[in-house]
Amino acid sequence: MMRASAWALESGAFVMAVALGVVAASMVLLATGTPVYQTLAAIYSGALGSAYALQSSLVYAVPVAFTGLAACVAFRARIWNIGGEGQMVMGAFGAALVALHVPLPGPAVLPAMILSGMAFGALWAFGPAVLKVAFGVNEVLSTLMLNYVAILFVDFLVFGPWRDPAGGWPYSPPFPSAALLPALSADLNVAVVAAPVIAVLLAVLFRYTPWGYATAVLGHSHPAARYAGMRIGRLTVQVMLLSGAIAALAGIDQVAGTAGLLYHLPPGYGYFGILVSWLAGHNPLLVLVMATFYGVLLQGGDALQIAQVDPSLVRIMQGAIIIFALAGLTLARRRSLSPGAGA
Amino acid sequence: MPAARDEVQALDISKSFGSFVANDGVSLRLRRGEIHAVLGENGAGKTTLMNILSGLYSPDAGDLTVWGERVQFRSPRDAVLRGIGMVHQHFQLVEVLSALDNVLLGVPAGGLRLRRGEAVARLRAIGRANGIDIDPDVPVWQLSIGQRQKLEILKLLYHGAELLLLDEPTSVLTPQEADELYRTLRGLADGGKAVVFITHKLHEVMAAADRITVLRRGRVVAALPASETTLDELGTLMVGSRPAALRPRQATAPGRSILRAEGVAAAGDRGHAALDGLDLDVRAGEIFGIIGVAGNGQPELAEVLAGLRRASRGRILLDGTDISRWSPLRRMRAGLRFVPEDRMGMGMVMPLDIPDNMMLRDFRDPPFVRRGLIDHGAARRRAEEAVAQYGVSHGGLGRPVRLLSGGNQQKLLLAREIWTDPKLLLVSQPTRGLDVAAARAVHDRLVALRDGGSAVLLVSEDLDEVLQLADRAAVMYGGRITGIWPAARFDRDGIGAAMGGGIPRAAA
């Protein structure tokens, strides 16, 4: 358990680091002759300043929260699932498959979509897991490669056989209304509630179940895990399946909630999840906080682009803030882990 | 009196970490041509003192005079430039690089060009002059532990060290390698270097050192020539009271056979035959000691018995049941508990706290699990009881066990494994790296367990430990048991000969 002093240190470091990141980003603005105050004000009003702005930030935050939770499941067991992106895309595919091509009675559609999506996400993680356990194939490479396979597979569908004949875009036909996640507002759907519920479930799983304990030991030491009678191969596969299934939720949210059809998902959420998990120290509850922070950054970037700020400048600002935040938190954690008094 | 320029002196050095005073007014005088031993228990402040001399720490108070000059080191580099080099307990070598590259790694850059030819010649010359024979081109991973240590020494000499500091240099060595190391050190001293090593092994001090400084709780309790003291006196100085002599062995009647191994064979990590048809019979109510020089299959034997390594041949019986094909978990639940040699890598999870480590092996079972969920309260209570009963000093149960001393870690490990009242406790190198008091506490526990009727299989490289504790001692050589002696007929010379591969007399 984290001590109170460590909490204070980390949150202080985070706030300071973000402030420094904003300062650094402002220097970039100054150097390019962009008005600093107006730009920052535009981020604020676009991402935080109103109920509408906040909702828009959350639309970004929800999929990042799912991929972040997926990453933290794997990372705390020191299993490097970099395939959140592909597992998310396969989740979207699995959901769309049921929504478009499986005739089901109305109330059964959504549960079946979610199960199917999670199954495909888990399947996308299963392959690398088995390769790792059976042949020692590095999961970083295998999961990363499968991302491209998943993205191109869905591209193939929406540009080809699944393309809506009625529309001009590479989209599938719209989902029937029974296949849409219940809306909570104009922009938000139930996924915004599901993410915190899953985060809490994961926190309980990690801390209060033997399985959670075993995966933590696995992350710290394989010899100790073997000595404790754990089956490393089986645990590894289980961790990957869970991670992939949760990443799939990010895709399901986007196709069955935000868009209502299958399309080429905006790239990057899978990788943002990796960052968010590190920012959160692989703690599922903090993943929620960091995903929201990330959503604000993404939505702030959108607001700037609407205000005609150069998109590459926007990326630079986002990057600066993230790098500072990650560096600050890493330093703070190293300090709170060091023995301090009494060596 | 030797001249000041032939001396390195530390005067009234103090160093604290938070509220912990590691060195409290320590003085030390080191001379060229002398081997100086710094003796003390774990936590006495030996390593801190060495780290100050080597520039890693700066002292809170006190003076350093190096070859007649007052100095203040700001980094280890300053110390190296003054001719002070240190061999750390854990070697600082890059395994994939060659011996030469490892030596050159630390060389202060004299321009961009490496003159490899010259470097090889110089390294060979230094090696020849000091009786250290290491091929400069061989990659470090191919070197034995003893050779790696010599390479570390060679590295220091190459960098111009005149004072060599060695932190627990023999803790990783076989007895033969240790003897060789001390011969090398003697040669260096005779050649005009100053040598200091730190240790808690009394007999090494007597055998190898000219002068001895004894530390206890951060203070110097004695500084004297080796010729003017005795083992008994040093032991008393070190721990503050006279160490216990041989413990009285009660005449326990041998019970039924608890662990039998029949013709067990297994491969080691590099595919060689580590166990080669080994037979074993450990009975209830006895401590069965296995003694041998490192590299004769001891860790492999422990792993095979615990189920962590596959036996390619043979049978293992626990209390009459064939467990050869059982998983580690099933063996554990059947009462075979195990204290592994690799305490930090296998036996404990260093970043986790004490309660989490107390349930490492039993986290699936009550009391740690209730209604399917982990009961952290139960783990905490177990930790509190273990800490109280085993006298573990710690800075808070919730701190990572990494911050505990080796002795305290080992006590916790024992507590966890003994708690379940095992049929057989398998312990590997239980007191390696422990100070006298902690080792004694560990021994007391093993004896109490034996007296309670359990079987204890003690695997050790420390002959004194086995002779002191075991009811029967077996020598392991070349992956087999080559001789068994009952306590009544312990014979140091015969056992020693068998350890070296000599054919023992039919003993038991």
Side-chain angles (χ1 to χ4, degrees), chain A residues 221 224 227, chain B residues 340 342-350 357-358 360 401 408-410 412-414 416:
Chain A
S221 160
Y227 168 65
Chain B
D342 182 5
R343 192 183 306 144
M344 303 208 284
M346 181 182 271
M348 291 256 159
V349 186
M350 290 290 117
N357 270 290
M358 289 313 288
L360 177 63
V401 295
N408 285 315
Q409 288 170 357
Q410 188 71 328
L412 283 174
L413 225 172
L414 267 180
R416 184 183 69 210

mmCIF file with all atom_site columns, all heavy atoms in Angstrom, chain A residues 221 224 227, chain B residues 340 342-350 357-358 360 401 408-410 412-414 416:
data_model
loop_
_atom_site.group_PDB
_atom_site.id
_atom_site.type_symbol
_atom_site.label_atom_id
_atom_site.label_alt_id
_atom_site.label_comp_id
_atom_site.label_asym_id
_atom_site.label_entity_id
_atom_site.label_seq_id
_atom_site.pdbx_PDB_ins_code
_atom_site.Cartn_x
_atom_site.Cartn_y
_atom_site.Cartn_z
_atom_site.occupancy
_atom_site.B_iso_or_equiv
_atom_site.pdbx_formal_charge
_atom_site.auth_seq_id
_atom_site.auth_comp_id
_atom_site.auth_asym_id
_atom_site.auth_atom_id
_atom_site.pdbx_PDB_model_num
ATOM 1   N N   . SER A 1 221 ? 9.206  -11.266 -9.849  1.00 0.00 ? 221 SER A N   1
ATOM 2   C CA  . SER A 1 221 ? 10.259 -12.280 -9.909  1.00 0.00 ? 221 SER A CA  1
ATOM 3   C C   . SER A 1 221 ? 9.704  -13.617 -10.386 1.00 0.00 ? 221 SER A C   1
ATOM 4   O O   . SER A 1 221 ? 8.842  -14.202 -9.720  1.00 0.00 ? 221 SER A O   1
ATOM 5   C CB  . SER A 1 221 ? 10.892 -12.421 -8.512  1.00 0.00 ? 221 SER A CB  1
ATOM 6   O OG  . SER A 1 221 ? 11.564 -13.645 -8.392  1.00 0.00 ? 221 SER A OG  1
ATOM 7   N N   . ALA A 1 224 ? 10.667 -16.481 -7.895  1.00 0.00 ? 224 ALA A N   1
ATOM 8   C CA  . ALA A 1 224 ? 9.800  -16.472 -6.714  1.00 0.00 ? 224 ALA A CA  1
ATOM 9   C C   . ALA A 1 224 ? 8.421  -17.014 -7.059  1.00 0.00 ? 224 ALA A C   1
ATOM 10  O O   . ALA A 1 224 ? 7.809  -17.729 -6.267  1.00 0.00 ? 224 ALA A O   1
ATOM 11  C CB  . ALA A 1 224 ? 9.691  -15.056 -6.142  1.00 0.00 ? 224 ALA A CB  1
ATOM 12  N N   . TYR A 1 227 ? 8.677  -20.727 -7.241  1.00 0.00 ? 227 TYR A N   1
ATOM 13  C CA  . TYR A 1 227 ? 8.865  -21.206 -5.874  1.00 0.00 ? 227 TYR A CA  1
ATOM 14  C C   . TYR A 1 227 ? 7.542  -21.188 -5.108  1.00 0.00 ? 227 TYR A C   1
ATOM 15  O O   . TYR A 1 227 ? 7.278  -22.050 -4.278  1.00 0.00 ? 227 TYR A O   1
ATOM 16  C CB  . TYR A 1 227 ? 9.906  -20.308 -5.205  1.00 0.00 ? 227 TYR A CB  1
ATOM 17  C CG  . TYR A 1 227 ? 10.067 -20.444 -3.715  1.00 0.00 ? 227 TYR A CG  1
ATOM 18  C CD1 . TYR A 1 227 ? 10.542 -21.626 -3.143  1.00 0.00 ? 227 TYR A CD1 1
ATOM 19  C CD2 . TYR A 1 227 ? 9.786  -19.376 -2.873  1.00 0.00 ? 227 TYR A CD2 1
ATOM 20  C CE1 . TYR A 1 227 ? 10.712 -21.735 -1.782  1.00 0.00 ? 227 TYR A CE1 1
ATOM 21  C CE2 . TYR A 1 227 ? 9.960  -19.470 -1.511  1.00 0.00 ? 227 TYR A CE2 1
ATOM 22  C CZ  . TYR A 1 227 ? 10.423 -20.652 -0.967  1.00 0.00 ? 227 TYR A CZ  1
ATOM 23  O OH  . TYR A 1 227 ? 10.592 -20.749 0.387   1.00 0.00 ? 227 TYR A OH  1
ATOM 24  N N   . PRO B 2 340 ? 15.134 -21.637 0.078   1.00 0.00 ? 340 PRO B N   1
ATOM 25  C CA  . PRO B 2 340 ? 16.116 -21.718 -1.006  1.00 0.00 ? 340 PRO B CA  1
ATOM 26  C C   . PRO B 2 340 ? 17.370 -20.907 -0.728  1.00 0.00 ? 340 PRO B C   1
ATOM 27  O O   . PRO B 2 340 ? 17.373 -19.977 0.082   1.00 0.00 ? 340 PRO B O   1
ATOM 28  C CB  . PRO B 2 340 ? 15.358 -21.168 -2.208  1.00 0.00 ? 340 PRO B CB  1
ATOM 29  C CG  . PRO B 2 340 ? 14.319 -20.284 -1.634  1.00 0.00 ? 340 PRO B CG  1
ATOM 30  C CD  . PRO B 2 340 ? 13.990 -20.797 -0.264  1.00 0.00 ? 340 PRO B CD  1
ATOM 31  N N   . ASP B 2 342 ? 18.837 -18.947 -2.859  1.00 0.00 ? 342 ASP B N   1
ATOM 32  C CA  . ASP B 2 342 ? 18.726 -17.604 -3.429  1.00 0.00 ? 342 ASP B CA  1
ATOM 33  C C   . ASP B 2 342 ? 17.590 -16.865 -2.720  1.00 0.00 ? 342 ASP B C   1
ATOM 34  O O   . ASP B 2 342 ? 16.475 -16.767 -3.199  1.00 0.00 ? 342 ASP B O   1
ATOM 35  C CB  . ASP B 2 342 ? 18.437 -17.697 -4.934  1.00 0.00 ? 342 ASP B CB  1
ATOM 36  C CG  . ASP B 2 342 ? 18.360 -16.327 -5.577  1.00 0.00 ? 342 ASP B CG  1
ATOM 37  O OD1 . ASP B 2 342 ? 18.630 -15.322 -4.882  1.00 0.00 ? 342 ASP B OD1 1
ATOM 38  O OD2 . ASP B 2 342 ? 18.020 -16.257 -6.758  1.00 0.00 ? 342 ASP B OD2 1
ATOM 39  N N   . ARG B 2 343 ? 17.938 -16.347 -1.555  1.00 0.00 ? 343 ARG B N   1
ATOM 40  C CA  . ARG B 2 343 ? 16.970 -15.708 -0.676  1.00 0.00 ? 343 ARG B CA  1
ATOM 41  C C   . ARG B 2 343 ? 16.310 -14.516 -1.368  1.00 0.00 ? 343 ARG B C   1
ATOM 42  O O   . ARG B 2 343 ? 15.098 -14.347 -1.338  1.00 0.00 ? 343 ARG B O   1
ATOM 43  C CB  . ARG B 2 343 ? 17.775 -15.215 0.531   1.00 0.00 ? 343 ARG B CB  1
ATOM 44  C CG  . ARG B 2 343 ? 17.029 -14.769 1.708   1.00 0.00 ? 343 ARG B CG  1
ATOM 45  C CD  . ARG B 2 343 ? 18.049 -14.260 2.726   1.00 0.00 ? 343 ARG B CD  1
ATOM 46  N NE  . ARG B 2 343 ? 19.088 -15.255 3.022   1.00 0.00 ? 343 ARG B NE  1
ATOM 47  C CZ  . ARG B 2 343 ? 20.362 -14.932 3.264   1.00 0.00 ? 343 ARG B CZ  1
ATOM 48  N NH1 . ARG B 2 343 ? 20.765 -13.685 3.248   1.00 0.00 ? 343 ARG B NH1 1
ATOM 49  N NH2 . ARG B 2 343 ? 21.229 -15.872 3.529   1.00 0.00 ? 343 ARG B NH2 1
ATOM 50  N N   . MET B 2 344 ? 17.114 -13.692 -2.041  1.00 0.00 ? 344 MET B N   1
ATOM 51  C CA  . MET B 2 344 ? 16.590 -12.439 -2.584  1.00 0.00 ? 344 MET B CA  1
ATOM 52  C C   . MET B 2 344 ? 15.890 -12.626 -3.923  1.00 0.00 ? 344 MET B C   1
ATOM 53  O O   . MET B 2 344 ? 14.979 -11.893 -4.260  1.00 0.00 ? 344 MET B O   1
ATOM 54  C CB  . MET B 2 344 ? 17.714 -11.424 -2.724  1.00 0.00 ? 344 MET B CB  1
ATOM 55  C CG  . MET B 2 344 ? 18.415 -11.183 -1.405  1.00 0.00 ? 344 MET B CG  1
ATOM 56  S SD  . MET B 2 344 ? 19.129 -9.548  -1.287  1.00 0.00 ? 344 MET B SD  1
ATOM 57  C CE  . MET B 2 344 ? 20.557 -9.720  -2.287  1.00 0.00 ? 344 MET B CE  1
ATOM 58  N N   . GLY B 2 345 ? 16.322 -13.625 -4.693  1.00 0.00 ? 345 GLY B N   1
ATOM 59  C CA  . GLY B 2 345 ? 15.709 -13.795 -6.007  1.00 0.00 ? 345 GLY B CA  1
ATOM 60  C C   . GLY B 2 345 ? 14.518 -14.733 -5.974  1.00 0.00 ? 345 GLY B C   1
ATOM 61  O O   . GLY B 2 345 ? 13.560 -14.546 -6.711  1.00 0.00 ? 345 GLY B O   1
ATOM 62  N N   . MET B 2 346 ? 14.580 -15.761 -5.108  1.00 0.00 ? 346 MET B N   1
ATOM 63  C CA  . MET B 2 346 ? 13.553 -16.781 -5.122  1.00 0.00 ? 346 MET B CA  1
ATOM 64  C C   . MET B 2 346 ? 12.737 -16.815 -3.836  1.00 0.00 ? 346 MET B C   1
ATOM 65  O O   . MET B 2 346 ? 11.512 -16.863 -3.863  1.00 0.00 ? 346 MET B O   1
ATOM 66  C CB  . MET B 2 346 ? 14.199 -18.150 -5.357  1.00 0.00 ? 346 MET B CB  1
ATOM 67  C CG  . MET B 2 346 ? 13.213 -19.289 -5.417  1.00 0.00 ? 346 MET B CG  1
ATOM 68  S SD  . MET B 2 346 ? 14.031 -20.892 -5.638  1.00 0.00 ? 346 MET B SD  1
ATOM 69  C CE  . MET B 2 346 ? 14.087 -20.991 -7.432  1.00 0.00 ? 346 MET B CE  1
ATOM 70  N N   . GLY B 2 347 ? 13.392 -16.742 -2.718  1.00 0.00 ? 347 GLY B N   1
ATOM 71  C CA  . GLY B 2 347 ? 12.715 -16.975 -1.444  1.00 0.00 ? 347 GLY B CA  1
ATOM 72  C C   . GLY B 2 347 ? 11.830 -15.831 -1.004  1.00 0.00 ? 347 GLY B C   1
ATOM 73  O O   . GLY B 2 347 ? 10.875 -16.025 -0.250  1.00 0.00 ? 347 GLY B O   1
ATOM 74  N N   . MET B 2 348 ? 12.144 -14.635 -1.464  1.00 0.00 ? 348 MET B N   1
ATOM 75  C CA  . MET B 2 348 ? 11.391 -13.454 -1.051  1.00 0.00 ? 348 MET B CA  1
ATOM 76  C C   . MET B 2 348 ? 11.145 -12.611 -2.295  1.00 0.00 ? 348 MET B C   1
ATOM 77  O O   . MET B 2 348 ? 11.870 -12.709 -3.270  1.00 0.00 ? 348 MET B O   1
ATOM 78  C CB  . MET B 2 348 ? 12.214 -12.615 -0.070  1.00 0.00 ? 348 MET B CB  1
ATOM 79  C CG  . MET B 2 348 ? 12.414 -13.245 1.274   1.00 0.00 ? 348 MET B CG  1
ATOM 80  S SD  . MET B 2 348 ? 11.321 -12.428 2.424   1.00 0.00 ? 348 MET B SD  1
ATOM 81  C CE  . MET B 2 348 ? 11.224 -13.655 3.687   1.00 0.00 ? 348 MET B CE  1
ATOM 82  N N   . VAL B 2 349 ? 10.141 -11.774 -2.214  1.00 0.00 ? 349 VAL B N   1
ATOM 83  C CA  . VAL B 2 349 ? 9.900  -10.823 -3.290  1.00 0.00 ? 349 VAL B CA  1
ATOM 84  C C   . VAL B 2 349 ? 10.305 -9.455  -2.752  1.00 0.00 ? 349 VAL B C   1
ATOM 85  O O   . VAL B 2 349 ? 9.594  -8.861  -1.950  1.00 0.00 ? 349 VAL B O   1
ATOM 86  C CB  . VAL B 2 349 ? 8.437  -10.837 -3.738  1.00 0.00 ? 349 VAL B CB  1
ATOM 87  C CG1 . VAL B 2 349 ? 8.244  -9.941  -4.942  1.00 0.00 ? 349 VAL B CG1 1
ATOM 88  C CG2 . VAL B 2 349 ? 8.012  -12.258 -4.074  1.00 0.00 ? 349 VAL B CG2 1
ATOM 89  N N   . MET B 2 350 ? 11.460 -9.001  -3.183  1.00 0.00 ? 350 MET B N   1
ATOM 90  C CA  . MET B 2 350 ? 12.096 -7.847  -2.552  1.00 0.00 ? 350 MET B CA  1
ATOM 91  C C   . MET B 2 350 ? 11.242 -6.576  -2.506  1.00 0.00 ? 350 MET B C   1
ATOM 92  O O   . MET B 2 350 ? 11.263 -5.856  -1.513  1.00 0.00 ? 350 MET B O   1
ATOM 93  C CB  . MET B 2 350 ? 13.431 -7.545  -3.251  1.00 0.00 ? 350 MET B CB  1
ATOM 94  C CG  . MET B 2 350 ? 14.497 -8.581  -2.999  1.00 0.00 ? 350 MET B CG  1
ATOM 95  S SD  . MET B 2 350 ? 15.067 -8.533  -1.301  1.00 0.00 ? 350 MET B SD  1
ATOM 96  C CE  . MET B 2 350 ? 14.554 -10.158 -0.767  1.00 0.00 ? 350 MET B CE  1
ATOM 97  N N   . ASN B 2 357 ? 5.053  -10.929 1.869   1.00 0.00 ? 357 ASN B N   1
ATOM 98  C CA  . ASN B 2 357 ? 6.021  -12.003 1.764   1.00 0.00 ? 357 ASN B CA  1
ATOM 99  C C   . ASN B 2 357 ? 5.671  -13.179 2.664   1.00 0.00 ? 357 ASN B C   1
ATOM 100 O O   . ASN B 2 357 ? 6.031  -14.310 2.360   1.00 0.00 ? 357 ASN B O   1
ATOM 101 C CB  . ASN B 2 357 ? 7.425  -11.492 2.085   1.00 0.00 ? 357 ASN B CB  1
ATOM 102 C CG  . ASN B 2 357 ? 8.141  -10.994 0.854   1.00 0.00 ? 357 ASN B CG  1
ATOM 103 O OD1 . ASN B 2 357 ? 8.517  -11.786 -0.012  1.00 0.00 ? 357 ASN B OD1 1
ATOM 104 N ND2 . ASN B 2 357 ? 8.287  -9.683  0.742   1.00 0.00 ? 357 ASN B ND2 1
ATOM 105 N N   . MET B 2 358 ? 4.972  -12.901 3.765   1.00 0.00 ? 358 MET B N   1
ATOM 106 C CA  . MET B 2 358 ? 4.613  -14.003 4.649   1.00 0.00 ? 358 MET B CA  1
ATOM 107 C C   . MET B 2 358 ? 3.595  -14.934 4.005   1.00 0.00 ? 358 MET B C   1
ATOM 108 O O   . MET B 2 358 ? 3.454  -16.071 4.401   1.00 0.00 ? 358 MET B O   1
ATOM 109 C CB  . MET B 2 358 ? 4.069  -13.468 5.989   1.00 0.00 ? 358 MET B CB  1
ATOM 110 C CG  . MET B 2 358 ? 5.117  -12.816 6.879   1.00 0.00 ? 358 MET B CG  1
ATOM 111 S SD  . MET B 2 358 ? 6.637  -13.776 7.054   1.00 0.00 ? 358 MET B SD  1
ATOM 112 C CE  . MET B 2 358 ? 6.069  -15.121 8.095   1.00 0.00 ? 358 MET B CE  1
ATOM 113 N N   . LEU B 2 360 ? 3.598  -15.577 0.676   1.00 0.00 ? 360 LEU B N   1
ATOM 114 C CA  . LEU B 2 360 ? 4.068  -15.898 -0.677  1.00 0.00 ? 360 LEU B CA  1
ATOM 115 C C   . LEU B 2 360 ? 3.741  -17.334 -1.082  1.00 0.00 ? 360 LEU B C   1
ATOM 116 O O   . LEU B 2 360 ? 3.338  -17.593 -2.209  1.00 0.00 ? 360 LEU B O   1
ATOM 117 C CB  . LEU B 2 360 ? 5.582  -15.669 -0.773  1.00 0.00 ? 360 LEU B CB  1
ATOM 118 C CG  . LEU B 2 360 ? 6.219  -16.032 -2.120  1.00 0.00 ? 360 LEU B CG  1
ATOM 119 C CD1 . LEU B 2 360 ? 5.674  -15.161 -3.236  1.00 0.00 ? 360 LEU B CD1 1
ATOM 120 C CD2 . LEU B 2 360 ? 7.734  -15.896 -2.063  1.00 0.00 ? 360 LEU B CD2 1
ATOM 121 N N   . VAL B 2 401 ? 10.733 -5.660  1.851   1.00 0.00 ? 401 VAL B N   1
ATOM 122 C CA  . VAL B 2 401 ? 11.714 -6.486  2.549   1.00 0.00 ? 401 VAL B CA  1
ATOM 123 C C   . VAL B 2 401 ? 13.124 -6.259  2.004   1.00 0.00 ? 401 VAL B C   1
ATOM 124 O O   . VAL B 2 401 ? 14.105 -6.597  2.662   1.00 0.00 ? 401 VAL B O   1
ATOM 125 C CB  . VAL B 2 401 ? 11.380 -7.994  2.477   1.00 0.00 ? 401 VAL B CB  1
ATOM 126 C CG1 . VAL B 2 401 ? 10.101 -8.301  3.204   1.00 0.00 ? 401 VAL B CG1 1
ATOM 127 C CG2 . VAL B 2 401 ? 11.299 -8.464  1.044   1.00 0.00 ? 401 VAL B CG2 1
ATOM 128 N N   . ASN B 2 408 ? 17.712 -10.600 8.798   1.00 0.00 ? 408 ASN B N   1
ATOM 129 C CA  . ASN B 2 408 ? 16.282 -10.430 9.076   1.00 0.00 ? 408 ASN B CA  1
ATOM 130 C C   . ASN B 2 408 ? 15.424 -11.037 7.979   1.00 0.00 ? 408 ASN B C   1
ATOM 131 O O   . ASN B 2 408 ? 14.378 -11.625 8.256   1.00 0.00 ? 408 ASN B O   1
ATOM 132 C CB  . ASN B 2 408 ? 15.965 -8.950  9.268   1.00 0.00 ? 408 ASN B CB  1
ATOM 133 C CG  . ASN B 2 408 ? 16.439 -8.454  10.620  1.00 0.00 ? 408 ASN B CG  1
ATOM 134 O OD1 . ASN B 2 408 ? 16.226 -9.112  11.636  1.00 0.00 ? 408 ASN B OD1 1
ATOM 135 N ND2 . ASN B 2 408 ? 17.111 -7.313  10.633  1.00 0.00 ? 408 ASN B ND2 1
ATOM 136 N N   . GLN B 2 409 ? 15.894 -10.922 6.743   1.00 0.00 ? 409 GLN B N   1
ATOM 137 C CA  . GLN B 2 409 ? 15.175 -11.582 5.652   1.00 0.00 ? 409 GLN B CA  1
ATOM 138 C C   . GLN B 2 409 ? 15.140 -13.084 5.885   1.00 0.00 ? 409 GLN B C   1
ATOM 139 O O   . GLN B 2 409 ? 14.102 -13.732 5.730   1.00 0.00 ? 409 GLN B O   1
ATOM 140 C CB  . GLN B 2 409 ? 15.865 -11.300 4.312   1.00 0.00 ? 409 GLN B CB  1
ATOM 141 C CG  . GLN B 2 409 ? 15.694 -9.882  3.824   1.00 0.00 ? 409 GLN B CG  1
ATOM 142 C CD  . GLN B 2 409 ? 16.582 -9.593  2.625   1.00 0.00 ? 409 GLN B CD  1
ATOM 143 O OE1 . GLN B 2 409 ? 17.362 -10.432 2.197   1.00 0.00 ? 409 GLN B OE1 1
ATOM 144 N NE2 . GLN B 2 409 ? 16.473 -8.401  2.081   1.00 0.00 ? 409 GLN B NE2 1
ATOM 145 N N   . GLN B 2 410 ? 16.280 -13.633 6.272   1.00 0.00 ? 410 GLN B N   1
ATOM 146 C CA  . GLN B 2 410 ? 16.363 -15.079 6.441   1.00 0.00 ? 410 GLN B CA  1
ATOM 147 C C   . GLN B 2 410 ? 15.478 -15.549 7.588   1.00 0.00 ? 410 GLN B C   1
ATOM 148 O O   . GLN B 2 410 ? 14.858 -16.601 7.512   1.00 0.00 ? 410 GLN B O   1
ATOM 149 C CB  . GLN B 2 410 ? 17.832 -15.493 6.668   1.00 0.00 ? 410 GLN B CB  1
ATOM 150 C CG  . GLN B 2 410 ? 18.050 -16.983 6.668   1.00 0.00 ? 410 GLN B CG  1
ATOM 151 C CD  . GLN B 2 410 ? 17.906 -17.595 5.287   1.00 0.00 ? 410 GLN B CD  1
ATOM 152 O OE1 . GLN B 2 410 ? 17.124 -17.127 4.454   1.00 0.00 ? 410 GLN B OE1 1
ATOM 153 N NE2 . GLN B 2 410 ? 18.657 -18.635 5.013   1.00 0.00 ? 410 GLN B NE2 1
ATOM 154 N N   . LEU B 2 412 ? 12.686 -14.231 8.512   1.00 0.00 ? 412 LEU B N   1
ATOM 155 C CA  . LEU B 2 412 ? 11.305 -14.213 8.018   1.00 0.00 ? 412 LEU B CA  1
ATOM 156 C C   . LEU B 2 412 ? 11.028 -15.408 7.116   1.00 0.00 ? 412 LEU B C   1
ATOM 157 O O   . LEU B 2 412 ? 9.970  -16.035 7.179   1.00 0.00 ? 412 LEU B O   1
ATOM 158 C CB  . LEU B 2 412 ? 11.045 -12.926 7.237   1.00 0.00 ? 412 LEU B CB  1
ATOM 159 C CG  . LEU B 2 412 ? 10.828 -11.677 8.080   1.00 0.00 ? 412 LEU B CG  1
ATOM 160 C CD1 . LEU B 2 412 ? 10.733 -10.449 7.179   1.00 0.00 ? 412 LEU B CD1 1
ATOM 161 C CD2 . LEU B 2 412 ? 9.558  -11.814 8.903   1.00 0.00 ? 412 LEU B CD2 1
ATOM 162 N N   . LEU B 2 413 ? 12.013 -15.701 6.279   1.00 0.00 ? 413 LEU B N   1
ATOM 163 C CA  . LEU B 2 413 ? 11.858 -16.833 5.369   1.00 0.00 ? 413 LEU B CA  1
ATOM 164 C C   . LEU B 2 413 ? 11.666 -18.120 6.167   1.00 0.00 ? 413 LEU B C   1
ATOM 165 O O   . LEU B 2 413 ? 10.780 -18.931 5.891   1.00 0.00 ? 413 LEU B O   1
ATOM 166 C CB  . LEU B 2 413 ? 13.130 -16.923 4.525   1.00 0.00 ? 413 LEU B CB  1
ATOM 167 C CG  . LEU B 2 413 ? 12.988 -17.146 3.042   1.00 0.00 ? 413 LEU B CG  1
ATOM 168 C CD1 . LEU B 2 413 ? 14.327 -17.011 2.363   1.00 0.00 ? 413 LEU B CD1 1
ATOM 169 C CD2 . LEU B 2 413 ? 12.396 -18.490 2.752   1.00 0.00 ? 413 LEU B CD2 1
ATOM 170 N N   . LEU B 2 414 ? 12.524 -18.302 7.176   1.00 0.00 ? 414 LEU B N   1
ATOM 171 C CA  . LEU B 2 414 ? 12.407 -19.482 8.032   1.00 0.00 ? 414 LEU B CA  1
ATOM 172 C C   . LEU B 2 414 ? 11.059 -19.509 8.728   1.00 0.00 ? 414 LEU B C   1
ATOM 173 O O   . LEU B 2 414 ? 10.402 -20.537 8.790   1.00 0.00 ? 414 LEU B O   1
ATOM 174 C CB  . LEU B 2 414 ? 13.498 -19.456 9.089   1.00 0.00 ? 414 LEU B CB  1
ATOM 175 C CG  . LEU B 2 414 ? 14.797 -20.169 8.806   1.00 0.00 ? 414 LEU B CG  1
ATOM 176 C CD1 . LEU B 2 414 ? 15.719 -20.008 9.990   1.00 0.00 ? 414 LEU B CD1 1
ATOM 177 C CD2 . LEU B 2 414 ? 14.556 -21.647 8.546   1.00 0.00 ? 414 LEU B CD2 1
ATOM 178 N N   . ARG B 2 416 ? 8.292  -18.290 7.823   1.00 0.00 ? 416 ARG B N   1
ATOM 179 C CA  . ARG B 2 416 ? 7.220  -18.641 6.904   1.00 0.00 ? 416 ARG B CA  1
ATOM 180 C C   . ARG B 2 416 ? 7.216  -20.136 6.625   1.00 0.00 ? 416 ARG B C   1
ATOM 181 O O   . ARG B 2 416 ? 6.165  -20.780 6.598   1.00 0.00 ? 416 ARG B O   1
ATOM 182 C CB  . ARG B 2 416 ? 7.415  -17.875 5.595   1.00 0.00 ? 416 ARG B CB  1
ATOM 183 C CG  . ARG B 2 416 ? 6.287  -18.093 4.613   1.00 0.00 ? 416 ARG B CG  1
ATOM 184 C CD  . ARG B 2 416 ? 6.549  -17.370 3.315   1.00 0.00 ? 416 ARG B CD  1
ATOM 185 N NE  . ARG B 2 416 ? 7.646  -17.987 2.585   1.00 0.00 ? 416 ARG B NE  1
ATOM 186 C CZ  . ARG B 2 416 ? 8.459  -17.338 1.783   1.00 0.00 ? 416 ARG B CZ  1
ATOM 187 N NH1 . ARG B 2 416 ? 8.327  -16.040 1.601   1.00 0.00 ? 416 ARG B NH1 1
ATOM 188 N NH2 . ARG B 2 416 ? 9.428  -17.967 1.163   1.00 0.00 ? 416 ARG B NH2 1
#
